[in-house]
Amino acid sequence: MSDTRPKPSLYGAKSLGSQQIRLLYLNPGHESDTLTGHLEVVDLKKCPPYEALSYEWGSPEKPCIFTATENNHRVNITESLYHALRDLRHAAPAPPREPSLTRVIWADGICINQEDLDERESQVSIMGSIYRGASRVITYIGQESDTSADAVALAASLLRAFENRTRVDLQDASGLAKAGLPPATDKSWKALKELCLRRWAGRCWCAQEFLCNKDLIMMCGRRVFPEWTTLLSVVRLVYARQLPAAIIPSHDEDPDSLRDCLISLINLRSPLQYMFKPQRKQLLKLLQSFHPFQVSDPREKVYSLLGHSLDHEDLGIEVDYTISPEQLYTTVAAEIATEYQDLRLLLSNLHHKSLSNLPSWVPDWSTWYFGSDLGGTGYDHTLFASGHTRASLKVIGTRLQTKFSVAGCLLDTVTWVGDKILPYYTTHEEPVATRRREWITKQLEIVRKLDPYPFLGNSGTQNPDITTVLWKTLISNTNHDESIAKAEYVDYFNAHYHHSNSQVQETDHPNDARGSKDKDASDISEKARQFCDAVRWRSRYRRVATTESGYFGAVPQTAQVGDILCLFQGGRHLYIVRPADSGQPGNRSRETFKYVGHAYVHGLMGGEIVREEWYRKRKGEIILL
C-alpha cells in the first residue's frame, strides 16, 4: 500500500512572524554535487551576517532540486535559482579535509514559502529591510557563457580607453589596437551586446534590490565584475555619445528596452555611493523611475517598491494579492492625486496600455516603450502653461468607476493631425535626411497657412517667423541640453533641415584649407545630430497638429481630429482629452472626457492663457473617466 500520510514540509506548519526571516546555510560542493543546506528562522533585527541574493526568476517551472540536510527533504526550485546557488556555494574542501565552509544567504525563492500567500505578502512588505540589512547584495546576472568573460574584459577596456581620452572608432583598426581594444570583427564585441541583453536588468525586483545596499557586487556565473558600474557605465557613455552606438544593441535588437533599464540603474544607484544609507522616496517618484522595468505580475510593480517608499503607509497601500492589478493601480493613482495634488501623475500615461480596463487617467505602470521619458517630460522646467496656478484635483467614485476631477479650462479643438514624427528622426543621416527635408517643407507650408499666427496678449508678434513656430514645436522649445532653446538655436534646425552627406561635402570652398573644410562639415553634422536628439527626446511619440483657432502644436500620437485642447491648473503642459459622452446637449461643462496625453502648443506654454480676462469666466471642472 502507498503511504497517504502528508509529507513533511521544509517550512513547517507555521508562517513566519512579521519580523522573521529564514536564512539558507548553503553547504560547499563541487559543480556536479547535489545542492544541499539547511534553513534557520531568525529575527530580522537580531540575525547573523548574511548575503542577499538578487537574481532573475525566469521561468516559473521548478525542475531542479535542493535537499535540506536536517530532514533530507527535497524541494523543487527554479532553474535560475539552482544555477545561482551552485555558483555561489564555496568549493568543497580538498583532502586532507578542512573545516566545512557554509555560505549564509537569503534568497526569496527558497527562504519564503511561496505556497503560503499570507507569508508571501508579509515577506514582500519587508523586502527592502531584508536587503538593507544584509552584509552585501549579490546581483547574479546568470550563468557564465563561453564569451561572457571576454565581454566583461572588453567593457573594462572601453572604460580605460575613455578615461585615457582615447577616441574609439570601430572602423579604425589601428586606432583600436592602440587603445588596447580588439578588432571590430572580434567575438567579444558581439558578446558585449549579449551581456547587455541579459534579462535581469529589466526586472523590477532586481532593480529595487540593486538600490538597497551600499555594498553590492555583480556576478556572471562565478566571475565577479571589476566594479558594479563596469557594464552600466559603457551603456551610459554610449547614450552620452562618448562611445559608438554600435557597441550596444540597437532598438530592433532590444525589444524589452534593456538599454533604458541599464541607464536607469546607474542613474538611480550612483547617488547612493555618497549617502550614509539609501534614502526612501515618494511612491510616485519611484513608480516613475522604475517605469521601464518589467514584472510577471503587474501588481508587483507597486509591491516591489513599497520597501523604498516613505509614504505608502500614509497612502494606505498594503500588499494584497487578492485584488486585481486594475484595482490596485486605480487605488494608488487616486491616493497619490488626492494626497499631493500633483499633475505629474498624468504624465506617466504612455500612448498604449496593456491593462485596458484602467480609467483613462490612471497610468499603466506595467507597460513601457523604448525612449519614453521617465517622468513623461514631467520635470520639464522650461514650460509654464498654467502660470503660477495651483492644481485642484478630486477623485470621485470607487474602484474602477473612479472619475478624476481637474480644475482647468477647455481651450480649443484639434482640426488636423499629421504623421508620426519619429520616422523622420531615427537618424540625422541619409536616407532619412532626404525624407525629413521633404516632410519639413510640407510642415512649413501648413504653418504658413496659419498666418497671421494667433498669439495672446503681448506674448508674440502678429507676423511670426514660420520656421520658429515649427522648430520650437518639434523640441517643445527645449534644446538637447535640457534648457530653453534661444533664438540662435535656429542654426541647429537649419543644420538638420539641410543636412545630407552630399551637402556637407558641398560646403567645401576651393581656397579653404582642408582642415577648415572638414571642421565646417563636422560642425554642421554635429548640430544636425543634436537637433535630431532633441526632437526624439520630446516628440518620439507625437504628431504635429493644428487647432480650430489656428494654433500649431505637437500632440500625442494617439490624438485624433475632434479631440479637445485644455489647460489644467498647476500643469506645466497643455493636455489633450476626448469627449466620452454628450452630457446635456449644448452644455460642454457637463461632458466627461477621456485623457489622451500632454501636448506642446506654440504660443501658449508660458502662462499666457491664465492672464487672459476670459479665462476666469471659462475655467471650471473637467471630469476624466
Side-chain angles (χ1 to χ4, degrees):
M1 294 180 62
S2 62
D3 189 353
T4 59
R5 291 176 298 177
K7 295 180 180 180
S9 168
L10 175 67
Y11 302 105
K14 293 180 62 178
S15 300
L16 291 173
S18 62
Q19 292 298 314
Q20 288 183 317
I21 62 172
R22 295 186 188 89
L23 293 179
L24 168 62
Y25 287 75
L26 184 62
N27 291 336
H30 297 296
E31 184 175 354
S32 59
D33 289 348
T34 302
L35 201 60
T36 63
H38 70 276
L39 295 175
E40 287 188 8
V41 176
V42 297
D43 189 312
L44 181 57
K45 297 180 179 179
K46 301 177 182 178
C47 61
Y50 65 93
E51 298 170 293
L53 173 64
S54 175
Y55 66 104
E56 182 207 356
W57 267 51
S59 169
E61 300 298 321
K62 298 181 178 181
C64 302
I65 300 295
F66 169 82
T67 302
T69 53
E70 63 265 38
N71 56 10
N72 208 36
H73 188 85
R74 291 160 60 89
V75 180
N76 289 88
I77 59 175
T78 63
E79 189 173 2
S80 58
L81 178 57
Y82 173 81
H83 290 299
L85 295 178
R86 189 188 63 180
D87 286 335
L88 284 174
R89 68 181 173 183
H90 296 301
R97 292 189 62 83
E98 300 172 356
S100 176
L101 296 174
T102 59
R103 192 164 189 173
V104 186
I105 294 173
W106 187 90
D108 58 355
I110 196 167
C111 293
I112 299 175
N113 182 358
Q114 299 294 329
E115 305 302 319
D116 185 336
L117 182 60
D118 290 338
E119 179 174 301
R120 186 153 61 100
E121 290 181 351
S122 175
Q123 291 283 285
V124 166
S125 68
I126 61 171
M127 199 78 80
S129 298
I130 294 173
Y131 279 89
R132 281 191 293 271
S135 58
R136 71 177 175 183
V137 170
I138 301 170
T139 293
Y140 179 83
I141 72 170
Q143 299 178 76
E144 188 167 4
S145 68
D146 293 339
T147 58
S148 56
D150 296 330
V152 174
L154 176 59
S157 296
L158 284 166
L159 295 181
R160 283 194 297 271
F162 174 75
E163 291 169 359
N164 294 331
R165 299 185 178 182
T166 304
R167 183 172 178 269
V168 177
D169 183 351
L170 296 180
Q171 307 303 318
D172 182 3
S174 62
L176 291 175
K178 289 180 180 178
L181 298 170
T185 55
D186 190 85
K187 64 181 181 178
S188 59
W189 294 99
K190 180 181 178 182
L192 180 58
K193 284 189 175 184
E194 292 172 347
L195 202 64
C196 291
L197 292 174
R198 296 256 179 151
R199 294 180 60 85
W200 71 273
R203 308 309 297 176
C204 196
W205 280 112
C206 292
Q208 66 88 19
E209 293 156 5
F210 201 75
L211 306 180
C212 285
N213 198 302
K214 288 189 69 174
D215 195 350
L216 176 140
I217 61 170
M218 285 180 60
M219 294 181 64
C220 180
R222 290 182 175 270
R223 184 176 299 274
V224 178
F225 281 69
E227 301 286 345
W228 68 264
T229 56
T230 301
L231 176 63
L232 286 69
S233 291
V234 169
V235 179
R236 182 157 69 175
L237 288 172
V238 172
Y239 268 52
R241 298 192 179 277
Q242 301 296 317
L243 289 174
I247 288 176
I248 65 174
S250 66
H251 173 53
D252 291 338
E253 295 171 317
D254 183 18
D256 295 320
S257 300
L258 296 174
R259 294 172 299 169
D260 281 358
C261 296
L262 289 167
I263 287 293
S264 295
L265 283 175
I266 193 169
N267 289 341
L268 287 166
R269 181 168 174 81
S270 293
L272 301 184
Q273 303 303 107
Y274 308 101
M275 298 178 184
F276 179 71
K277 62 179 181 179
Q279 294 183 347
R280 298 185 181 188
K281 299 181 180 180
Q282 291 179 356
L283 184 56
L284 174 59
K285 292 183 178 179
L286 291 170
L287 288 167
Q288 289 172 330
S289 297
F290 284 80
H291 203 153
F293 298 96
Q294 301 171 358
V295 286
S296 302
D297 181 337
R299 294 170 293 190
E300 294 190 338
K301 178 56 74 74
V302 175
Y303 296 155
S304 65
L305 300 176
L306 294 186
H308 291 280
S309 166
L310 57 80
D311 59 351
H312 70 274
E313 293 181 352
D314 294 336
L315 296 174
I317 308 300
E318 298 180 348
V319 179
D320 183 356
Y321 283 99
T322 65
I323 64 174
S324 69
E326 292 86 352
Q327 185 178 344
L328 174 63
Y329 282 22
T330 302
T331 299
V332 169
E335 293 296 335
I336 289 174
T338 302
E339 177 70 18
Y340 295 112
Q341 298 289 298
D342 192 344
L343 281 167
R344 285 179 298 180
L345 170 75
L346 294 178
L347 303 177
S348 290
N349 281 286
L350 307 184
H351 61 277
H352 176 74
K353 296 180 181 181
S354 297
L355 300 176
S356 57
N357 291 327
L358 284 174
S360 67
W361 59 275
V362 175
D364 181 358
W365 286 294
S366 70
T367 303
W368 178 255
Y369 296 93
F370 169 76
S372 298
D373 179 8
L374 294 180
T377 62
Y379 302 97
D380 199 338
H381 58 277
T382 64
L383 306 178
F384 299 91
S386 69
H388 298 291
T389 61
R390 291 186 178 182
S392 178
L393 313 177
K394 291 187 295 184
V395 177
I396 307 167
T398 58
R399 294 183 180 270
L400 298 182
Q401 300 301 315
T402 303
K403 299 178 182 179
F404 192 52
S405 169
V406 189
C409 178
L410 304 177
L411 300 174
D412 209 344
T413 302
V414 176
T415 54
W416 171 84
V417 293
D419 299 334
K420 294 178 181 178
I421 294 173
L422 178 61
Y424 302 102
Y425 284 89
T426 53
T427 177
H428 67 291
E429 300 287 5
E430 296 288 4
V432 176
T434 296
R435 296 198 301 271
R436 181 169 59 247
R437 280 194 301 278
E438 295 171 353
W439 180 80
I440 291 173
T441 301
K442 292 179 181 178
Q443 309 317 304
L444 289 172
E445 287 301 316
I446 290 168
V447 178
R448 186 173 286 112
K449 293 177 182 178
L450 301 176
D451 186 39
Y453 196 80
F455 283 100
L456 293 179
N458 297 319
S459 62
T461 173
Q462 294 302 310
N463 296 298
D465 178 356
I466 62 169
T467 301
T468 299
V469 174
L470 177 59
W471 71 257
K472 288 197 172 189
T473 296
L474 289 175
I475 63 172
S476 296
N477 199 28
T478 306
N479 66 25
H480 59 279
D481 291 326
E482 294 297 295
S483 57
I484 294 176
K486 297 181 180 180
E488 53 267 27
Y489 204 68
V490 69
D491 291 343
Y492 290 76
F493 170 81
N494 289 332
H496 107 289
Y497 183 18
H498 300 294
H499 177 73
S500 72
N501 294 337
S502 61
Q503 286 175 317
V504 168
Q505 293 170 3
E506 289 169 5
T507 61
D508 294 352
H509 298 288
N511 297 327
D512 284 345
R514 181 66 187 174
S516 176
K517 292 184 291 185
D518 289 345
K519 183 177 185 303
D520 289 344
S522 177
D523 287 347
I524 292 172
S525 181
E526 180 61 14
K527 286 183 176 179
R529 181 191 65 75
Q530 290 180 358
F531 192 87
C532 288
D533 283 351
V535 174
R536 282 196 297 271
W537 180 244
R538 297 297 168 186
S539 298
R540 179 180 292 272
Y541 297 112
R542 283 179 168 176
R543 305 173 186 265
V544 289
T546 59
T547 71
E548 189 173 23
S549 298
Y551 286 100
F552 186 83
V555 299
Q557 67 178 36
T558 51
Q560 303 172 3
V561 172
D563 287 346
I564 307 299
L565 174 70
C566 57
L567 176 144
F568 294 160
Q569 288 188 183
R572 291 183 177 271
H573 304 78
L574 294 178
Y575 302 86
I576 299 294
V577 299
R578 184 168 300 152
D581 58 41
S582 59
Q584 296 181 2
N587 186 356
R588 171 149 285 181
S589 66
R590 301 297 299 175
E591 283 186 317
T592 53
F593 301 87
K594 291 186 177 180
Y595 180 73
V596 177
H598 60 286
Y600 176 96
V601 178
H602 187 72
L604 299 179
M605 306 305 296
E608 297 88 352
I609 298 167
V610 297
R611 292 193 290 268
E612 294 293 306
E613 288 292 333
W614 52 259
Y615 173 73
R616 296 179 183 178
K617 299 177 182 178
R618 287 171 54 180
K619 71 177 180 179
E621 191 177 57
I622 300 172
I623 306 296
L624 304 179
L625 300 182

